[in-house]
Amino acid sequence: MGFVIKTPAGTYRANWRDSANRQKAKTFRTKKAANAYLAEVEGSLNKGTYVDPHASKMRFDEFVVRWLAGRSVEARTSERTESMLRAHLLPQWAEWPLGRIDYLAVQEWVTNLGRTLAPSTTAKHLGLLSMIMHTAIRARVLAVNPCEGVRVPRNRAGEARATTISRETFVGRLLPAVPAEHRGIVCAAAGAGLRWGECAGLPWEAVDLYRGLLYVAQVAVETHGGIVLRSYPKSRAGVRAVPMPPFLVDELRQRRGPASPDGRALVFADRDGGPPRRSNFRRRVWLPSLVRAGLLGRVTERAPGRWLAVWPDRHGREQRAEFATEAAAVAHAAASAFGGLRFHDLRHSYITWLVTDGVPINVVRRVVGHEKASTTLDRYTHTPEDYADRVRLTFTDDSLTFRPSPGPTAPGEAPSPGREGDRKETTPVGGRRGSSTVRLRGGRAEPLSGHGGCNRRGSVCFGDVRTRRANKSA
């Protein structure tokens, strides 16, 4: 049990032993405050939620060193974490005691980050800080996580960027603009939904051209030390067999040729036989292909020896320049243009095509290697360009077309057999107890059997009951 004593200075010191049986103390101005704090400490010790009040004085950078030493993650994840720490977390929080980092300070930091970084990048930095603080809670250094409830500012101007293309645009414009030796990897992303690492690490032994299947298991991971091949994908759901469309099968068959390559050889190897580097492919192949396809600016021939390059800058304004050759114009536009379709957007497009064509979402999730269907729907499904036509086609069925009645039918007057709008069609209404069979006549539904034209609960009625009774008596 703890106790409170009065010090020679006139203050009151609360004394107790922590969970490790070490003597602890804290001084207060009044005896009431000391007793209240001591009761709180003893309660937390009994509940197992005790936090050393002196431990929160540890500086953030000191705790991060211990946190990093206890992690066991992939090399790429470790590099990304250390980069975020160097760039934004340590410059802000390095000298702060952990106990002084509160909700308002974190929210102000996140708001300032949002002025220069994209919302997704800001959210990643906040998530890293929250992960560190959560570890501090488990280490009994902090009692609460100051990152809880912090909101990331949204940049609505940057959310409108299109991330998909139609199949017609891909086949008719983008694919012909890609150099022949690189069309295979582009087809693998758009025709099988493979990630870049899955494309770069794909071996020939994982390609079954006879059955039209790709087996995803090996991936290429880029680190600062080089590119390494990893024998497992991003997640357990990433190990999968993907059916290939005919254009991908034809492209891979041409790439393989008549000879049978070594099964361990990479399908899309570079000149040295290793995995291609993503940054080189983007700069040398991807961006110039977008320019030639007219998807990132455009290049046109004004006159013999005069090529005009047009490209968008960071602010969305068109920039122009003339060059002596087409190659120079394309290279300059590709290097200067801002935005444009990403290689990973082909995976977004692939998933959108499948969902739009009615492939069940659980099948799409399995094909693309997602562990949860919510990931497929929330992050990778986009509205197709022809969404308006697809919505209109839903109502093209003639039976769903509304036809107004030409006029009321008088009691005793039978409708003419050939009058427009009459149908001798029975339609079940309700589907449960109390459902009625109705005839569509003159744009109005009339029951043939049931409970007086209404379901048993009386929530749906068709026609005029008095009119039907008059017809029956006549």
Side-chain angles (χ1 to χ4, degrees), residues 189-335:
L194 301 189
R195 303 176 179 94
W196 170 263
E198 295 169 346
C199 292
L202 183 69
W204 278 112
E205 63 184 3
V207 178
D208 189 343
L209 295 178
Y210 178 75
R211 299 176 59 191
L213 291 175
L214 283 179
Y215 298 94
V216 180
Q218 178 177 274
V219 297
V221 180
E222 296 187 19
T223 64
H224 293 308
I227 305 177
V228 296
L229 292 175
R230 196 172 63 188
S231 59
Y232 52 91
K234 185 176 181 181
S235 63
R236 286 183 295 180
V239 180
R240 62 197 189 275
V242 185
M244 294 187 292
F247 72 87
L248 178 56
V249 174
D250 295 341
E251 189 65 38
L252 293 181
R253 184 173 286 111
Q254 293 179 11
R255 187 174 185 86
R256 187 185 63 176
S260 297
D262 182 6
R264 292 174 297 179
L266 298 179
V267 178
F268 308 113
D270 59 10
R271 296 178 180 177
D272 299 328
R277 184 171 288 275
R278 185 170 189 168
S279 57
N280 293 339
F281 178 85
R282 181 178 183 273
R283 183 180 67 256
R284 300 172 183 174
V285 179
W286 182 250
L287 292 179
S289 299
L290 293 180
V291 174
R292 286 190 294 267
L295 300 176
L296 184 62
R298 62 186 184 276
V299 171
T300 56
E301 186 177 11
R302 299 288 296 272
R306 293 179 55 190
W307 292 85
L308 176 66
V310 180
W311 67 92
D313 62 9
R314 180 177 296 272
H315 305 287
R317 295 189 295 261
E318 275 195 355
Q319 303 295 331
R320 299 167 175 264
E322 287 191 359
F323 299 87
T325 63
E326 181 184 11
V330 169
H332 185 85

Side-chain angles (χ1 to χ4, degrees), residues 36-60:
Y37 183 80
L38 185 60
E40 182 180 349
V41 168
E42 291 178 345
S44 63
L45 285 171
N46 293 331
K47 296 177 182 178
T49 59
Y50 171 77
V51 175
D52 187 355
H54 302 289
S56 62
K57 296 180 180 180
M58 179 185 297
R59 297 198 332 176
F60 180 81

Side-chain angles (χ1 to χ4, degrees), residues 412-472:
E413 178 184 349
S416 59
R419 186 166 60 186
E420 180 181 0
D422 288 357
R423 284 192 191 173
K424 296 180 180 179
E425 177 182 337
T426 59
T427 305
V429 178
R432 296 184 179 180
R433 290 192 311 169
S435 63
S436 302
T437 303
V438 300
R439 175 188 289 118
L440 301 178
R441 173 176 294 169
R444 184 178 59 186
E446 295 185 358
L448 296 179
S449 62
H451 304 277
C454 300
N455 62 2
R456 181 163 295 181
R457 297 180 182 177
S459 59
V460 180
C461 295
F462 300 94
D464 191 329
V465 177
R466 292 175 299 178
T467 301
R468 293 196 300 277
R469 289 179 178 174
N471 292 336
K472 185 176 181 181

